[in-house]
Amino acid sequence: NHLQKSESFFRQLKGMDFLAISLQFILLGIGTVFIYSAGVQHGGELAMLWHRQIVWIGLGTCAYFAAMHVNYLHLAKYSWLMYIAGILLLLAVFPFGSTINNARSWLVVPGFGLIQPSELVKPIVLLFMAQTATSHDLRHSNIPLWIPIVGVALLPLICIALQPDFGTALVFLPLTAAMVFIAGLKKIWITTIFCAVIILTPFIFIHLRPHQQERVKVFIELPSRAIVNHMTANMSETTRENLQTKLDNFLKVQPGRKRDNWNAIQALHAVGSGGREGKGFGKGTQHALGYLPKKVAPSDFIFSVI
């Protein structure tokens, strides 16, 4: 028995993707180093963030190798149960959830703290989509395979969008698109769906909440102005003024609101001020001086810090 277990263990080691694992640990190492850098420059509680990061890396690594011993084909058989449980958790946030940053996306678990069901649902939906895409009955039916795959993703996507957490909801789109593409969607359907998304985008934007529209405008303001300036360089003055006026009207701040683009601009300044080679490890200025929000500089703004 001991010999069989040893042989099984070494077979698993031989079948591991060491390149993928190495890249993951390199990325984790780089992240930890810069979390340390950003935290130490601020001091206080933030200086200890890298300790917590190492703990989570340790726990994640244990879960990673534990998951290697689970046959995902057997796990996929129960993916429909996990999917139902995930949907119930997403629905539970509406009557029982906590609202943070204008999104009711969190559940309080006594003795543990806050959990975000949408994060738990991501791998579950991916597993259930894979199980659906490989279903023998569906693959040999008259129903186009992309319909049930999209249907699997649509319900959690709607639940998350209603929280509203559009950032997390958008993550499901490339996952679904990749799964549908791998399942063998015909080019005509890919073209049709792409065109439909382009056509529906303005209607979706109109129905966003004001603060959500402002976030979209903050995201596209600088690149859209740069594109318009480049496109109109060789146009007549009248055409250039018309395009600029239309862009200004679209980007203008709605009455009673203000354009909260401070963080976006400071993030760009942080990247630009570092240049190609940076200012040196532990010598960053934009986050150290508080131009980037201190509490989330080592997390949400880590790219700007790097």
Side-chain angles (χ1 to χ4, degrees):
N1 288 338
H2 289 298
L3 183 60
Q4 288 178 343
K5 289 181 179 178
S6 298
E7 289 178 352
S8 175
F9 176 74
F10 283 113
R11 276 200 304 271
Q12 285 184 327
L13 282 180
K14 190 176 179 180
M16 289 171 60
D17 189 340
F18 286 101
L19 175 60
I21 293 173
S22 300
L23 291 174
Q24 290 166 29
F25 276 99
I26 288 171
L27 289 172
L28 288 169
I30 292 172
T32 304
V33 165
F34 282 97
I35 289 171
Y36 166 81
S37 171
V40 167
Q41 280 193 277
H42 285 306
E45 294 181 2
L46 296 177
M48 308 302 292
L49 279 179
W50 69 281
H51 289 175
R52 189 171 65 182
Q53 182 74 357
I54 289 177
V55 170
W56 280 111
I57 289 174
L59 293 173
T61 302
C62 292
Y64 185 97
F65 286 103
M68 287 176 56
H69 291 79
V70 178
N71 189 324
Y72 66 89
L73 293 176
H74 295 317
L75 190 64
K77 293 179 182 178
Y78 303 98
S79 59
W80 66 275
L81 280 174
M82 293 185 284
Y83 180 79
I84 293 173
I87 296 300
L88 291 175
L89 282 175
L90 289 176
L91 294 174
V93 302
F94 294 106
F96 307 114
S98 298
T99 301
I100 299 176
N101 294 330
N102 297 315
R104 199 176 185 84
S105 307
W106 303 83
L107 288 174
V108 179
V109 179
F112 183 81
L114 291 170
I115 65 166
Q116 192 173 8
S118 57
E119 293 297 324
L120 300 175
V121 167
K122 287 178 186 176
I124 293 173
V125 170
L126 192 59
L127 183 64
F128 190 40
M129 280 198 297
Q131 177 69 1
T132 302
T134 54
S135 169
H136 180 271
D137 293 337
L138 285 173
R139 293 189 73 87
H140 292 84
S141 69
N142 294 324
I143 303 173
L145 193 56
W146 68 270
I147 293 178
I149 294 175
V150 172
V152 168
L154 196 59
L155 185 54
L157 190 150
I158 291 172
C159 291
I160 295 169
L162 290 174
Q163 292 176 359
D165 185 359
F166 287 98
T168 302
L170 286 173
V171 173
F172 284 83
L173 297 182
L175 291 179
T176 307
M179 188 65 67
V180 166
F181 180 76
I182 292 171
L185 185 65
K186 294 181 179 178
K187 291 182 179 180
I188 183 64
W189 282 111
I190 296 175
T191 305
T192 302
I193 293 171
F194 178 77
C195 292
V197 170
I198 297 297
I199 293 170
L200 290 174
T201 296
F203 297 99
I204 295 172
F205 179 81
I206 291 171
H207 290 90
L208 293 177
R209 296 183 180 183
H211 75 275
Q212 293 166 341
Q213 291 183 353
E214 285 300 314
R215 289 179 182 178
V216 173
K217 290 179 181 180
V218 166
F219 180 73
I220 66 173
E221 181 174 13
L222 291 178
S224 62
R225 290 194 182 281
I227 291 171
V228 169
N229 288 336
H230 179 74
M231 288 175 56
T232 58
N234 297 319
M235 294 183 181
S236 65
E237 185 175 349
T238 303
T239 304
R240 183 165 56 250
E241 289 179 354
N242 287 336
L243 286 174
Q244 290 285 2
T245 301
K246 289 180 179 179
L247 181 62
D248 291 339
N249 289 336
F250 173 74
L251 294 173
K252 70 180 180 181
V253 181
Q254 299 179 12
R257 302 194 65 85
K258 62 179 181 179
R259 177 66 41 80
D260 188 11
N261 57 355
W262 170 267
N263 288 342
I265 291 174
Q266 297 309 319
L268 289 172
H269 285 174
V271 174
S273 65
R276 268 189 319 185
E277 299 174 2
K279 296 183 176 180
F281 181 73
K283 298 179 182 178
T285 55
Q286 299 302 108
H287 69 281
L289 296 173
Y291 289 103
L292 295 176
K294 290 184 179 181
K295 289 186 177 180
V296 292
S299 54
D300 290 358
F301 288 86
I302 192 66
F303 180 79
S304 300
V305 171
I306 294 172

